[in-house]
Amino acid sequence: MHAVGIVAAAGSGLRLGSDRPKALVALAGRPLVRWAVDGLLAGGVAEVIVAVPAGERAAFAAALPAAVRLVDGGATRTASVRAGLAAAGERADAVLVHDAARPLTPPDVIARVLAALAAGVPAVVPVLPVVDTTVVVDVDGVITDAVPRAPLRRVQTPQGFDRQTLVAAYDALPAGAELTDDAAVVRAAGVPVATVAGDERAGKITVAHDLALAELQVQR
Ligand code: CTP
Ligand code: MG
């Protein structure tokens, strides 16, 4: 199986509040995007394509191994992944779509995603259980219902797909559609999405607190 990794790294990181693109922010001295790319390669992905913010190619090229291909991302994550997918050659039979914002995803998670694809599922995502009591509130913040949490899962990346399945699903998606992840894109096309165990260490870096936690994680 030839798997290509697509790293969505074209966001600006508004919530992190950094003066440069979030994917270039350093964690233990290495840019987040570098951690994400190295993790994919360590987990068994053969090649990596990174979607970068417009005008930032030189900075990303300097942060990454020469073999990594860069494409211009778009205004939304959906558009950025579309651009990366368009650059994935027909040689790839599997695609793993990953967030640069999940730098410490253990290679084991990536290996589990690849193993599920090798076993024949068309789409697979890493997930974690919900441990908190989970409720529904009304517009005033008053609880109206409690949600049984046993069947709930939190979804992480990388999300793995049969390449042709993902390409067909993106082709079928209306041009302006904006979905928060790629599993939603294939589900919209009627494709069943399997799950494997994720990992708390694969958490997303969104706000400054997340980066501080990641720094602690690296030190351990
Ligand atoms: N992303 C992307 N293209 C966009 C927007 C986001 O490739 N137009 C990527 C980000 O670089 C990130 C991942 O999608 O790796 C998840 O997005 P998020 O955590 O929201 O990152 P940002 O959009 O950069 O952050 P913020 O929403 O705080 O601005
Ligand atoms: Mg965002």
Side-chain angles (χ1 to χ4, degrees):
M1 194 174 70
H2 185 90
V4 56
I6 295 174
V7 177
S12 49
L14 285 179
R15 288 169 290 178
L16 189 61
S18 150
D19 57 354
R20 59 187 149 161
K22 179 162 78 178
L24 292 177
V25 168
L27 164 60
R30 283 157 84 200
L32 298 185
V33 66
R34 179 72 195 247
W35 284 97
V37 166
D38 289 353
L40 283 173
L41 294 170
V45 165
E47 53 172 320
V48 182
I49 297 166
V50 179
V52 307
E56 295 283 353
R57 276 190 186 233
F60 277 76
L64 292 168
V68 172
R69 280 192 289 153
L70 306 182
V71 298
D72 286 335
T76 62
R77 185 186 183 281
T78 303
S80 296
V81 174
R82 253 192 220 279
L85 194 54
E90 311 238 315
R91 204 170 132 230
D93 34 24
V95 172
L96 265 63
V97 185
H98 196 26
D99 286 335
R102 296 185 186 274
L104 300 182
T105 302
D108 280 3
V109 174
I110 292 145
R112 285 196 284 276
V113 169
L114 287 171
L117 293 172
V121 304
V124 57
V125 300
V127 296
L128 288 174
V130 173
V131 294
D132 295 311
T133 294
T134 301
V135 298
V136 180
V137 297
D138 65 17
V139 287
D140 298 318
V142 175
I143 294 175
T144 57
D145 210 353
V147 182
R149 72 186 170 205
L152 299 182
R153 299 290 184 272
R154 294 177 286 140
V155 178
Q156 301 184 315
T157 74
Q159 302 188 346
F161 305 92
D162 166 69
R163 186 185 62 81
Q164 286 177 330
T165 300
L166 188 60
V167 167
Y170 266 92
D171 284 349
L173 194 69
E178 197 186 329
L179 301 175
T180 55
D181 75 348
D182 308 285
V185 175
V186 299
R187 285 190 61 242
V191 177
V193 180
T195 62
V196 292
D199 194 300
E200 291 292 353
R201 292 168 291 181
K204 187 157 79 75
I205 296 193
T206 305
V207 295
H209 172 76
D210 303 326
L211 190 59
L213 281 182
E215 291 281 359
L216 288 175
Q217 213 170 290
V218 175
Q219 282 167 26
R220 298 178 41 175

